[in-house]
Amino acid sequence: MKIPLYLNNKKIVLSAEPTDSLLSVLRREKLYSVKCGCQKGRCGNCMVLLDDTAVESCLIPVGIVRDCKIVTLEYFKNDPYYQDIVTGFSQAGINLCGYCSAGKIFTAYSVLKKFYRPSLDQIYSAIKNLDSCCTDFSTLTNGILYAVAAKHTREGKSANAKK
């Protein structure tokens, strides 16, 4: 089946069975930031942005992504949010191993997009199922909080400004 979509801001047509997982198709496309983890949608290692929403690609049949916009970590590195997240993670002392990077970065992105000033509970809820192979949840939480501050600085907003 031919499936037209936008992959990393390029219009392409994939050849795949509609029931193939998006994970397997992206790996065939040599997008290796999309890792094969638990394949049950729990670890986050295969995370991508699907129409600007972080999703586990192992759970998505490629047949339903027709005309959707998919962004992998390879392309997301060009986004200003990526730099905010990397800055925040660095300040928290997080050195990602590479295996779990997509899950942690795209989850942080989701938190930054959804909440102007996220609470600890909101962050814990977002990260609770991620694979914790290279950092603990407390440090990851701090990294996301630092990323929020970096985003506010980039946008020229005071950390104490009210919204």
Side-chain angles (χ1 to χ4, degrees):
M1 173 178 192
K2 302 288 185 192
I3 303 165
L5 54 85
Y6 294 89
L7 180 58
N8 293 333
N9 210 30
K10 288 184 183 176
K11 177 91 171 163
I12 67 166
V13 178
L14 294 174
S15 292
E17 293 299 315
T19 56
D20 288 350
S21 72
L22 181 57
L23 164 65
S24 63
V25 172
L26 292 174
R27 295 287 294 182
R28 281 197 304 258
E29 292 293 311
K30 299 188 182 349
L31 294 165
Y32 298 123
S33 70
V34 186
K35 305 293 189 216
C36 186
C38 70
Q39 296 193 53
K40 295 179 181 167
R42 290 190 213 131
C43 69
N45 296 345
C46 66
M47 203 169 278
V48 297
L49 295 178
L50 176 62
D51 290 335
D52 207 36
T53 300
V55 298
E56 291 84 1
S57 63
C58 67
L59 298 178
I60 307 293
V62 75
I64 68 169
V65 299
R66 175 181 293 278
D67 298 321
C68 290
K69 293 179 183 174
I70 298 165
V71 173
T72 65
L73 196 52
E74 286 90 347
Y75 185 77
F76 186 70
K77 288 180 178 183
N78 301 316
D79 192 290
Y81 276 93
Y82 177 81
Q83 191 57 51
D84 298 337
I85 294 164
V86 168
T87 297
F89 283 12
S90 177
Q91 287 178 305
I94 297 171
N95 295 308
L96 295 176
C97 65
Y99 185 68
C100 62
S101 298
K104 288 180 176 65
I105 290 170
F106 286 139
T107 299
Y109 172 74
S110 294
V111 170
L112 267 65
K113 290 288 283 188
K114 188 173 183 181
F115 305 107
Y116 179 74
R117 194 177 318 272
S119 69
L120 292 177
D121 286 341
Q122 290 166 329
I123 295 172
Y124 292 151
S125 179
I127 68 172
K128 67 183 176 194
N129 292 325
L130 291 177
D131 189 346
S132 62
C133 61
C134 62
T135 190
D136 62 87
F137 291 116
S138 176
T139 304
L140 181 57
T141 299
N142 288 336
I144 292 172
L145 290 171
Y146 283 127
V148 169
K151 174 183 173 260
H152 291 175
T153 298
R154 176 178 52 84
E155 293 175 344
K157 298 176 183 173
S158 168
N160 296 317
K162 293 184 180 185
K163 183 168 183 177

